[in-house]
Structures are given as C-alpha cells and as structure tokens.
Amino acid sequence: MSNNPVRLIYPKRHGDARGWFTEVYSVPVFEALGITCTFVQDNHSLSAPAYTLRGLHFQRPPHGQDKLVRCVRGRIFDVAVDIREGSPTYGKWVGAELSADNGHQLFVPVGFAHGFVTLEDDCEVSYKCSDIYTPECDGGIRWNDAQIKIDWAMPAGTIPELSGKDAVQPLLADFDSPFAYDGRPLEPLA
C-alpha cells in the first residue's frame, strides 16, 4: 500500500508567443512532493456530453492503483474519497476543478475511490496508474451515496450521464474495505 498523500499538483507552464510548455511528470519533482510510486499504465477518456460522471472507482489489492489525473480538453470536477478502514477521515472527500486551461493535476493514492464529472461537452481526461487494470480487482462506491455527500459541482436537478455499472455500485455502508489506514488522514487540498 502506498503512503502517498492526495495532492493537487500545479505544473509550471512556460509561455511565449507560440503558446506554452509544461512538464507534467518528473520523478525528482514528484519525489520532492512526497509522491514515490512508479506509473506503469496511461489511460485516456473522452466524455462527449457535459455532466458525464465516471466513478467512484478503485482497484483492490494486490493491484491497487495510485492515479495521477489531468484534464487535457475541457473542464472536470475531480474527486478522491477516503476508503481506508480505520481512517479518521473514512468516507470524507476532497475535490478540485481540473481543466485544459489551468493544467492542474490530482494525485489519488491507493486506498481512495476516484471519480469525476465533466463540466462541459467533449472533455478528455488522461491519467497515469501505478498498476495495470485488473478486472477481478475492480471496485466502486455509488457516486451519490448520502453518507459521503459529494457536491459534484453540477447545477441543481442535473442528472449525470452514467454507465450501467456506476449507477448500481454499492453504498459505502455495504462496502468491506480491503484498504488499511496508513496513519495519514485525508487533508484539504492546498
């Protein structure tokens, strides 16, 4: 299990008349931030309609995944939920807007469920994972669980576009967590 914190990352952009350049991942930079995992898989998704919601997802051990998430087209609201058994912040969440314009990234460690909602049409999200996708370890929590109370940054009354799987994920109360608390509570994003 990872002992990395949930972190909002602000890569520097170097711009001129041509546009900008940014370094989105560097081992020494991330190690200085306390993020020490090794990424082995990159994923990329397109969500055509605004208010497409993907999540809340995770992978169980032995194939738990740290994720480094960024929005490369459009805007999303990205969320991490603490699902580590015994954590004082179990069931609590943090979220941030990630966009192609702001270039921010969210690091979501093993032991946290991850999800996002698109805030406009045609959003593309790219994320790195520290383990390969393993279907038998795939898991999730219901996106609208009243115990977690995520404010998804959608207009009141909006019904998000969901996959069939995400519409019927279990509630947190029915979830038996395989993730142990590592001594680091979830902290607000800086």
Side-chain angles (χ1 to χ4, degrees):
M1 155 136 2
S2 160
N3 193 25
N4 298 305
V6 174
R7 286 301 268 285
L8 190 57
I9 312 294
Y10 305 94
K12 291 181 183 175
R13 287 186 172 173
H14 307 280
D16 60 24
R18 300 168 297 163
W20 53 261
F21 169 84
T22 189
E23 189 175 83
V24 296
Y25 178 72
S26 165
V27 170
V29 170
F30 275 68
E31 284 179 350
L33 295 171
I35 299 171
T36 58
C37 65
T38 301
F39 294 113
V40 299
Q41 180 176 313
D42 281 7
N43 299 327
H44 190 127
S45 70
L46 167 68
S47 299
Y51 308 115
T52 295
L53 196 147
R54 297 177 185 263
L56 299 161
H57 304 148
F58 58 86
Q59 273 197 180
R60 292 178 182 83
H63 294 286
Q65 292 178 321
D66 297 299
K67 296 177 181 176
L68 179 62
V69 184
R70 67 189 183 113
C71 182
V72 296
R73 181 178 178 197
R75 294 181 311 123
I76 66 169
F77 186 69
D78 203 35
V79 172
V81 178
D82 188 347
I83 56 171
R84 298 167 299 161
E85 188 67 39
S87 171
T89 52
Y90 184 81
K92 303 294 184 205
W93 65 275
V94 293
E97 184 174 304
L98 308 181
S99 71
D101 287 340
N102 70 24
H104 300 166
Q105 300 178 82
L106 188 65
F107 179 78
V108 181
V110 171
F112 290 79
H114 170 254
F116 65 87
V117 64
T118 62
L119 301 177
E120 54 190 64
D121 291 340
D122 300 319
C123 288
E124 292 186 53
V125 175
S126 176
Y127 56 100
K128 296 182 163 306
C129 298
S130 65
D131 206 327
I132 60 169
Y133 174 65
T134 309
E136 61 272 15
C137 294
D138 190 37
I141 301 291
R142 187 97 41 91
W143 69 276
N144 60 348
D145 189 317
Q147 183 178 343
I148 301 171
K149 299 179 187 162
I150 296 172
D151 178 357
W152 283 104
M154 294 185 289
T158 301
I159 299 171
E161 295 286 332
L162 297 168
S163 71
K165 179 176 90 171
D166 287 346
V168 297
Q169 294 283 14
L171 298 172
L172 188 64
D174 300 324
F175 173 62
D176 185 18
S177 179
F179 303 105
Y181 178 58
D182 59 9
R184 186 184 300 230
L186 178 64
E187 296 180 359
L189 298 175

